[in-house]
Amino acid sequence: MMAEMLRRYKYPIAYELNPSEIDVGTNWVTLKLKNIGSETLRYLDVQLHSLDTDNLTVYGTGLFGAGHYLPDLKMYEEKEMVFRVNAVGSANVYVTIKGRAGSRYFTWESGWTNLKVSEEKAEIGRLLVLSNPYTTIGRTISAEATIKGLKESTGLKLEFWVETPSGKSEEQATIDIKDLPVGEEARYTAEFTPKETGVYTIYAYLYDGWRRVGYKTECIYARRQ
C-alpha cells in the first residue's frame, strides 16, 4: 500500500514532517498526510504546534495562522502542506487535526517529532531517575542525564533543578562540560532528598553559553514510609 511510504501512523492518518534538521532562523517544513481510514475526512483544521515556543515558533502561511484548512481528505489520498517556523534551538512539535469523519466530529493528535537545529553542539539523550516511580521521604535519589556530542564543543553547561510538591524550584547542581568529543556520550548525575509528600519534577537543562539547547524532565512520587 502507498501508506507505507509515510513513516508514522496513528489511525486514521499516516503522516511525516520534513526536513527533520533545520537551521537557526526562518525555515519551511512540509507536513504530509494520508488518509488510511475507511471513510472520507472532511472540513479539516490542521495545526502544527511547538512544545518549546522559546526555541521554536510556528507561524503558518496564510489566513489560518499556524494552520491549514482542508475541505476533504479522501480514502488513500495524500496531501502536503507547508509551515513556516522560526528556530533558535531544537524543539519537539506535534500536529492536531479537527474535522468530521462521516457523520461524527473527531480530534486527532500526532506523536512528537523533534526538529533539530543543525548548529547545535550537543543534545540531552535522556534523563533517568535512578529509582522506582515511587520513593520515600528522606531517601536520597540520583538523577542521571546523558549528553551526546554532535560537534566539537566547549563551554557547555548542564543544570539540574527539582520542583517540589509545594511548588518551589531548587537548583541541585551546575556542571561545566569542558570537552565532549563528537559522537560520544557522557553521563552526569545529581542527588536530592525528598522532604515532603507528593510529586517531584526533575529538570535537566543544557546550555551553550546563554542559549538553552536542550532539556528533559522526569517525575517521581515521594510518600511516607
Side-chain angles (χ1 to χ4, degrees):
M1 292 177 58
M2 289 183 62
E4 294 177 355
M5 296 175 61
L6 300 186
R7 294 183 299 172
R8 306 185 70 177
Y9 306 86
K10 183 178 179 182
Y11 191 85
I13 293 169
Y15 63 100
E16 187 172 307
L17 189 66
N18 287 304
S20 59
E21 186 170 299
I22 58 178
D23 298 324
V24 170
T26 299
N27 297 264
W28 301 89
V29 294
T30 300
L31 174 67
K32 297 181 181 179
L33 298 176
K34 188 177 184 69
N35 182 355
I36 58 174
S38 58
E39 53 193 343
T40 296
L41 305 177
R42 302 183 186 277
Y43 316 123
L44 302 181
D45 176 16
V46 183
Q47 303 278 338
L48 181 66
H49 308 270
S50 171
L51 281 168
D52 186 353
T53 55
D54 188 49
N55 268 359
L56 186 141
T57 305
V58 181
Y59 289 108
T61 55
L63 296 177
F64 294 92
H68 290 266
Y69 173 73
L70 293 180
D72 56 55
L73 188 63
K74 299 178 177 63
M75 290 174 55
Y76 307 119
E77 184 179 17
E78 182 178 311
K79 290 188 177 180
E80 296 184 358
M81 54 209 70
V82 177
F83 293 87
R84 181 169 62 94
V85 302
N86 187 73
V88 175
S90 300
N92 287 322
V93 298
Y94 66 99
V95 179
T96 59
I97 300 175
K98 296 179 181 179
R100 290 179 66 92
S103 61
R104 67 188 185 280
Y105 289 99
F106 76 96
T107 298
W108 179 94
E109 184 173 309
S110 75
W112 299 352
T113 298
N114 186 254
L115 289 181
K116 182 180 295 185
V117 168
S118 58
E119 289 89 340
E120 290 182 353
K121 301 175 183 177
E123 65 180 1
I124 301 180
R126 59 187 176 272
L127 173 64
L128 298 176
V129 179
L130 307 182
S131 166
N132 294 323
Y134 298 93
T135 189
T136 55
I137 294 174
R139 179 185 175 188
T140 299
I141 301 299
S142 293
E144 178 185 272
T146 301
I147 310 301
K148 182 178 181 180
L150 303 176
K151 295 187 175 183
E152 291 187 12
S153 58
T154 57
L156 297 174
K157 181 177 66 174
L158 177 65
E159 294 184 1
F160 288 93
W161 289 75
V162 172
E163 184 176 6
T164 68
S166 59
K168 181 180 180 182
S169 292
E170 301 173 338
E171 184 176 3
Q172 304 301 314
T174 297
I175 301 169
D176 292 322
I177 304 173
K178 296 182 180 180
D179 184 25
L180 186 61
V182 176
E184 292 193 11
E185 293 184 347
R187 296 178 175 86
Y188 303 91
T189 61
E191 294 184 340
F192 71 98
T193 304
K195 298 178 181 179
E196 56 185 296
T197 300
V199 176
Y200 287 77
T201 305
I202 299 92
Y203 299 85
Y205 298 100
L206 181 63
Y207 291 91
D208 178 11
W210 62 270
R211 292 178 56 241
R212 176 172 58 76
V213 297
Y215 78 98
K216 296 283 186 181
T217 65
E218 282 289 345
C219 294
I220 62 167
Y221 184 85
R223 56 191 176 187
R224 297 187 183 278
Q225 294 183 344

